[in-house]
Amino acid sequence: MTSGNDGDTPAGNLRDTLLSLAAKGYAPSMPARKGSTSDLSIDEALVLHSVGWEPVELVCGAAAFSIPAGIWTWNQGEVVAASAAYAGAMGRAASALQAECRAVGGHGVVGVRVDVAVERHLVNAVMVGSAVAPSGGARPPALPFVSDLSGRDFALLRLGGWDPVGLAFGASFVNAPRRSAAVAIRQSSQNVELTNYTEALYAARESAMERMQSVAGQLGGQGVVGVRVSEGPLPFARHVLRFAAWGTVVKASGRPDQLGPVSVVVPLDDAKLAFDAASLRGR
Amino acid sequence: MSDPNLPVDLPRDAGKRLAELKKLFTSDLSVNEFLLVKQAGFHPLGLVMGSSIYHTGIQTRKWSKSQELTKLTEAMYNARELAMTRMEEEAEQLDADGIVGVRLDVNYYEWGSDAAEFIAVGTAVKAESGVSHRNKLGKPFTSDLSGQDFWTLMQTGHVPQGLVMGTCVYHIAHRGLGQTLGSVGQNVELPNFTQALYEARELAMTRMQEEAERLGATGIVGVRLEEKSHQWGSHTIEFLSIGTAVGDTGASLTLPQPTAVISLDN
Amino acid sequence: MVDPGGLTEPDGAVSPDGYQGDVPPEASERLSSSAWSSGLSVNDFAACAQMGIRPVALVQGFCVLGWSWYGAGSPYLYRPAYGGAMGGAWGGMGGFRGGIPGTAGGGFGAPFSGGYQGGGYGGQGAAGGSYGRSRWGSTITSYSCPHSYVGMDHRSFGENFEQRWVSDAWQNGFDTAFSRMMQEAAAAGAHGVIAVVDRVSHLIDSSIREFHVYGTAVVVQGAPRPPAIWSTYLAGQRLAKLIEAGFMPASVVASLASVRVWAVCVTQALMAGGYQTGGWSAPSGEITQVSDAQMQARRLVRDRVKSSLRGDTLHGAALGVSWSDVGEGDYQVDAVLRGTRVRRVRDADPLPAPKLTLRLS
């Protein structure tokens, strides 16, 4: 929230509100129901509320896939078994998340944090987020959506006439090409492009993105937003490079764009995020 | 040849630099902070600092006894106090009302074992209205508030009085072999440890609060609790609590009511 | 969990060494001083001032526990004298001083029940199945070997079990520190505690774990004392928004769940890269037992917290999970969930449509 004089918010009498609540001993306004949990920040909860959605439950999905022994020796090309294990773990985790969301009556999961650990013999994918549903109590869909967008992004997306569909992901693991000793020696004293490296890395990135796109296509999306890419050598096999990309698949909802005009503000804060979910617990 | 106007405590170079500050100001405030300090009715005068290199020796400790190491506590406290006082003296020289954005650091150098430099740096400010904002002791106030925090605090009808701190260097007893073996495989409370930590932190906080009371402050905001072993080994820990003491001016809250916005920034 | 509603104010009885309940004399002295202290930032302070919330004191509580994982946590090293040993431990746990509200007392579960539980079913362990009791803790799911040949060192049975002694010790440490903080708050005459910070750290060495909980005790100016002191991780503007949205914080809640994988042959083989075991090779693919454990730890901690909500809502949950491979295919997952239990105290106002802004910075 920022300060301004033009606001006609009921916050003006928060002091009185609090006093009247205290006088009633903070008695609940409705009979106790089944408790619910959510990891949304108050900002996210409020902004979801403003578009008519409420959090239902904290949900998770996890999957561990094995990587066969012996595949980390320095070969050529892609480490197919590792790519397959990665895809398997992500896919299973996402569907476990979906299943849990369905079980608690959610329409979808927002703010999913994707946590994938690749170990020598193991890919461990974990997804945690908050299941949400519209306040009206409509029937949940057979396949809830999964999205790594924050509650705020979800609300904005819906206002803009788009719906999240699911999570798309793709990964590829490739061996760095070997150079012959002669080539290595020759190149060590030259400033030249190492074309074989360029090609290998280029191809690996392309195939990771290509896999992500094909998942997005299967989900029936029109696009992927907020794609995140992680890449780098594996700590236990430095010659293998990992490329992974994931993002939220979206499609047009057919509702009109309800976003109003944007007003420009000049903040006098020094670089702070307006929505900072991690800092919500304490400070 | 010493400048008669300069406190004996300060080096001559400082006097020269401070004299130049009568003409221009220096500050480590960001533009945002600078503008907000101006909004609050203050003008920055200059960067002020104080430093003290202190030999913080070692005190004999009983291996199996938890106790405060009073000599070390005093050393740590005095060293910071010296640095702060020198910074305040620089601010006095500038005829400042107070200092904002104070940072208090401890540096260890390779050339001196057990010697540590305590340094305090901040921006001296003065009220444009000419009304004195000095604290009850007639000294410039000090605070670790940023420019934004300074402005906000003034809007709540409070003024900073001084950076207050309390410290306690505590030795936590080693466990005897018998005790260690006795609790293998048991996750049980170690009451002696709990008690020692409790006492150490409470002592630090009480001392901080006593400082605030000496300044006639109504309260302390932004208290931080820090723990450091410095160079004394893992069983000797300094517990430092530090915060800005504030006084109530009796003025009413002048903050505007907030408005709900969705920021489109990342 | 500590029930903050069950916390009573110190009865005023002062022991000969100056303790009031668990609150040591140094603290009592500090809390009675005229100046208040607070861990609030200036922004939080300003937001609280706007709501008529005034800080009264920084309050804190500690509990230092001797901490061990039973020799790397291996069930093979674990002594079956679990009930007895822990019973003794809890006896010693009688508390730092006066005892711990709501947490002291009894062990949990039957000691060594002998033999393995459950006939086991291959592969797919249905999560949320019956919680039997085995010698190691609470069995969540069990797994049996799909092979017909069983050699001497072939693990024909595996299970995921909850390490209740870990979670109970953690809970005890946290709740004790928390309730001590609340005792300080009661001594300071607080209505609530905001901006709570909890730290669980290794102190001095890894065998000692310190639980430190602190926060700023506040009063709502002009309001009567609430029936129970409330507490929250939130402060300032975020607290204002929560109240604005029709919620009132009730209490800080935190729990840990620790799930241990005792690997069946297939899991053991897959965790080691699918080598041959007893003449049988495991197919590459999902390691169901580990997937299950990852889900179970999170579900357990969520459901444990949920069971303490009493119909309220958990807001701003933070789920932290660590896992480690403890050899021979064995695996451990620890999940910590913390957040603020909030209660709806009035209907949410329809929120004014937020304005979109773009910062020029």
Side-chain angles (χ1 to χ4, degrees):
Chain A
M1 292 208 176
T2 56
S3 292
N5 283 321
D6 52 347
D8 188 22
T9 60
N13 40 36
L14 199 50
R15 184 188 284 251
D16 301 337
T17 305
L18 193 56
L19 276 178
S20 72
L21 292 175
K24 286 183 284 178
Y26 307 113
S29 67
M30 55 172 76
R33 286 177 309 172
K34 189 167 64 86
S36 75
T37 54
S38 102
D39 63 348
L40 295 178
S41 71
I42 187 66
D43 296 290
E44 288 181 296
L46 281 175
V47 83
L48 272 180
H49 178 72
S50 76
V51 295
W53 285 65
E54 305 289 343
V56 181
E57 195 81 282
L58 186 67
V59 288
C60 71
F65 266 64
S66 73
I67 297 176
I71 65 162
W72 298 120
T73 49
W74 198 343
N75 282 318
Q76 286 195 336
E78 185 171 4
V79 189
V80 179
S83 301
Y86 187 98
M90 288 289 273
R92 278 281 295 139
S95 58
L97 186 72
Q98 225 171 14
E100 203 168 87
C101 175
R102 198 167 45 229
V104 299
H107 287 231
V109 190
V110 297
V112 173
R113 284 178 309 289
V114 180
D115 189 356
V116 209
V118 180
E119 290 167 23
R120 185 174 287 276
H121 297 311
L122 184 68
V123 179
N124 213 334
V126 181
M127 299 179 187
V128 180
S130 277
V132 293
S135 338
R139 245 176 76 94
L143 281 181
F145 68 85
V146 173
S147 155
D148 64 343
L149 298 177
S150 68
R152 180 194 80 123
D153 289 348
F154 171 72
L156 271 180
L157 203 60
R158 280 188 62 86
L159 285 176
W162 293 83
D163 277 337
V165 185
L167 205 61
F169 44 83
S172 86
F173 295 75
V174 288
N175 283 294
R178 282 181 189 274
R179 292 178 295 173
S180 69
V183 171
I185 289 166
R186 196 174 65 238
Q187 286 179 340
S188 70
S189 59
Q190 292 172 324
N191 298 330
V192 291
E193 183 176 15
L194 307 179
T195 45
N196 48 351
Y197 278 80
T198 309
E199 274 163 26
L201 302 196
Y202 207 110
R205 274 199 196 91
E206 285 291 343
S207 68
M209 304 254 192
E210 164 57 34
R211 282 170 192 161
M212 180 182 75
Q213 274 163 241
S214 89
V215 173
Q218 284 162 26
L219 289 168
Q222 291 172 332
V224 185
V225 294
V227 173
R228 262 174 262 185
V229 179
S230 92
E231 56 181 60
L234 294 174
F236 53 85
R238 308 288 310 176
H239 61 275
V240 177
L241 299 154
R242 167 175 71 159
F243 296 92
W246 66 84
T248 292
V249 184
V250 296
K251 71 166 187 227
S253 63
R255 294 184 307 272
D257 181 345
Q258 293 166 298
L259 288 175
V262 176
S263 52
V264 176
V265 295
V266 181
L268 285 177
D269 301 328
D270 278 325
K272 255 188 211 160
L273 288 178
F275 283 83
D276 184 3
S279 71
L280 284 165
R281 201 179 60 71
R283 264 178 304 113
Chain B
M1 282 289 282
S2 66
D3 182 346
N5 296 322
L6 198 67
V8 284
D9 221 12
L10 295 184
R12 269 177 55 197
D13 287 343
K16 214 167 128 192
R17 184 179 73 85
L18 295 176
E20 278 171 9
L21 285 177
K22 302 253 156 70
K23 285 168 268 168
L24 75 143
F25 70 85
T26 55
S27 91
D28 59 353
L29 300 176
S30 70
V31 172
N32 288 342
E33 288 181 291
F34 169 65
L35 293 175
L36 281 167
V37 166
K38 292 292 278 184
Q39 274 280 315
F42 284 79
H43 184 73
L45 297 172
L47 262 181
V48 287
M49 64 171 172
S51 150
S52 158
I53 298 192
Y54 218 87
H55 181 264
T56 55
I58 198 77
Q59 189 176 359
T60 46
R61 294 160 281 190
K62 279 217 179 92
W63 199 72
S64 59
K65 186 168 185 287
S66 290
Q67 60 185 148
E68 182 181 7
L69 303 176
T70 45
K71 285 188 182 140
L72 282 179
T73 301
E74 269 170 42
M76 298 303 283
Y77 186 81
N78 287 344
R80 287 200 184 88
E81 201 60 24
L82 268 178
M84 293 272 285
T85 309
R86 287 182 183 140
M87 180 180 68
E88 279 168 26
E89 281 168 358
E90 286 205 5
E92 292 259 16
Q93 281 293 297
L94 295 171
D95 202 18
D97 278 333
I99 310 168
V100 297
V102 172
R103 294 188 310 277
L104 208 51
D105 284 327
V106 188
N107 295 327
Y108 289 95
Y109 298 106
E110 283 184 12
W111 38 262
S113 64
D114 294 337
E117 183 185 21
F118 294 79
I119 184 161
V121 187
T123 297
V125 297
K126 187 174 173 58
E128 283 167 335
S129 63
V131 180
S132 169
H133 277 77
R134 294 199 171 191
N135 62 23
K136 192 180 152 199
L137 307 178
K139 293 238 172 93
F141 68 80
T142 49
S143 84
D144 57 355
L145 305 178
S146 68
Q148 287 90 350
D149 286 349
F150 182 65
W151 181 85
T152 313
L153 186 68
M154 301 295 272
Q155 308 306 308
T156 65
H158 286 81
V159 285
Q161 297 285 312
L163 191 64
V164 289
M165 62 189 171
T167 185
C168 175
V169 181
Y170 211 89
H171 173 71
I172 295 168
H174 293 252
R175 286 195 289 176
L177 187 62
Q179 284 167 288
T180 313
L181 284 180
S183 61
V184 159
Q186 295 179 11
N187 298 339
V188 292
E189 177 165 17
L190 308 170
N192 297 340
F193 278 48
T194 305
Q195 221 160 337
L197 288 171
Y198 215 140
E199 189 183 287
R201 289 206 183 95
E202 285 292 344
L203 280 173
M205 284 163 67
T206 307
R207 285 169 189 158
M208 172 184 73
Q209 218 149 322
E210 282 167 2
E211 269 201 21
E213 277 172 20
R214 275 203 296 280
L215 290 171
T218 46
I220 310 169
V221 295
V223 174
R224 298 194 309 275
L225 301 175
E226 290 176 12
E227 282 140 43
K228 274 194 193 130
S229 272
H230 296 287
Q231 298 176 328
W232 305 311
S234 65
H235 277 254
T236 301
I237 302 173
E238 183 196 16
F239 297 91
L240 173 69
S241 65
I242 192 163
T244 294
V246 298
D248 199 338
T249 58
S252 60
L253 202 67
T254 54
L255 277 176
Q257 288 303 331
T259 319
V261 299
I262 298 184
S263 151
L264 290 178
D265 313 287
N266 281 316
Chain C
M1 294 242 157
V2 173
D3 178 357
L7 268 181
T8 49
E9 291 180 30
D11 50 10
V14 181
S15 69
D17 51 354
Y19 275 83
Q20 296 193 10
D22 271 359
V23 180
E26 296 87 4
S28 307
E29 191 188 300
R30 181 175 66 81
L31 295 174
S32 62
S33 123
S34 64
W36 45 265
S37 54
S38 84
L40 300 180
S41 70
V42 171
N43 278 336
D44 289 344
F45 174 68
C48 286
Q50 232 168 359
M51 285 184 281
I53 290 179
R54 186 172 58 85
V56 286
L58 195 66
V59 289
Q60 55 180 349
F62 313 93
C63 182
V64 183
L65 289 183
W67 194 262
S68 64
W69 293 98
Y70 298 92
S74 167
Y76 309 107
L77 298 177
Y78 185 67
R79 289 166 297 174
Y82 166 50
M86 290 311 288
W90 291 118
M93 193 75 206
F96 167 38
R97 297 288 303 184
I100 304 154
T103 53
F108 28 84
F112 183 53
S113 62
Y116 299 133
Q117 288 277 324
Y121 32 89
Q124 291 289 343
S130 65
Y131 283 54
R133 290 248 171 228
S134 82
R135 60 195 299 178
W136 316 127
S138 313
T139 307
I140 307 171
T141 42
S142 43
Y143 306 83
S144 59
C145 151
H147 307 133
S148 54
Y149 164 78
V150 175
M152 279 299 281
D153 56 351
H154 191 95
R155 292 202 191 177
S156 56
F157 179 84
E159 64 178 23
N160 288 354
F161 58 92
E162 191 194 356
Q163 306 191 106
R164 288 296 292 268
W165 57 93
V166 175
S167 47
D168 285 359
W170 194 94
Q171 198 71 59
N172 209 317
F174 183 88
D175 288 352
T176 306
F178 177 71
S179 83
R180 284 175 187 155
M181 179 186 79
M182 295 305 270
Q183 285 185 35
E184 279 204 14
H191 294 180
V193 181
I194 63 174
V196 172
V197 178
D198 69 81
R199 293 193 294 203
V200 184
S201 52
H202 291 297
L203 190 83
I204 301 168
D205 60 58
S206 62
S207 71
I208 298 175
R209 194 164 279 211
E210 190 205 6
F211 295 77
H212 182 191
V213 184
Y214 62 96
T216 301
V218 295
V219 296
V220 180
Q221 279 169 302
R225 280 194 152 191
I229 300 175
W230 45 271
S231 59
T232 172
Y233 284 112
L234 301 174
Q237 204 62 262
R238 292 192 171 113
L239 180 61
K241 282 184 265 191
L242 190 76
I243 297 171
E244 181 65 46
F247 291 105
M248 190 64 202
S251 174
V252 153
V253 287
S255 261
L256 172 140
S258 177
V259 170
R260 188 57 202 279
V261 171
W262 182 22
V264 72
C265 59
V266 179
T267 305
Q268 185 190 15
L270 287 176
M271 292 289 280
Y275 71 85
Q276 308 251 312
T277 162
W280 301 88
S281 65
S284 179
E286 182 168 11
I287 314 174
T288 325
Q289 200 181 350
V290 175
S291 300
D292 289 347
Q294 289 278 359
M295 302 271 287
Q296 282 156 353
R298 289 169 172 83
R299 280 193 189 134
L300 273 174
V301 76
R302 182 192 68 197
D303 293 344
R304 179 160 307 149
V305 165
K306 215 173 152 180
S307 71
S308 71
L309 291 179
R310 282 174 278 163
D312 292 339
T313 301
L314 180 72
H315 169 78
L319 180 63
V321 178
S322 63
W323 66 75
S324 53
D325 191 347
V326 282
E328 294 277 333
D330 290 349
Y331 198 76
Q332 174 162 321
V333 189
D334 290 327
V336 176
L337 182 66
R338 31 164 77 88
T340 303
R341 175 160 71 88
V342 300
R343 178 180 303 152
R344 181 161 286 293
V345 285
R346 63 192 180 95
D347 295 330
D349 292 320
L351 199 75
K355 293 174 186 159
L356 300 178
T357 65
L358 187 67
R359 293 153 61 110
L360 276 190
S361 58

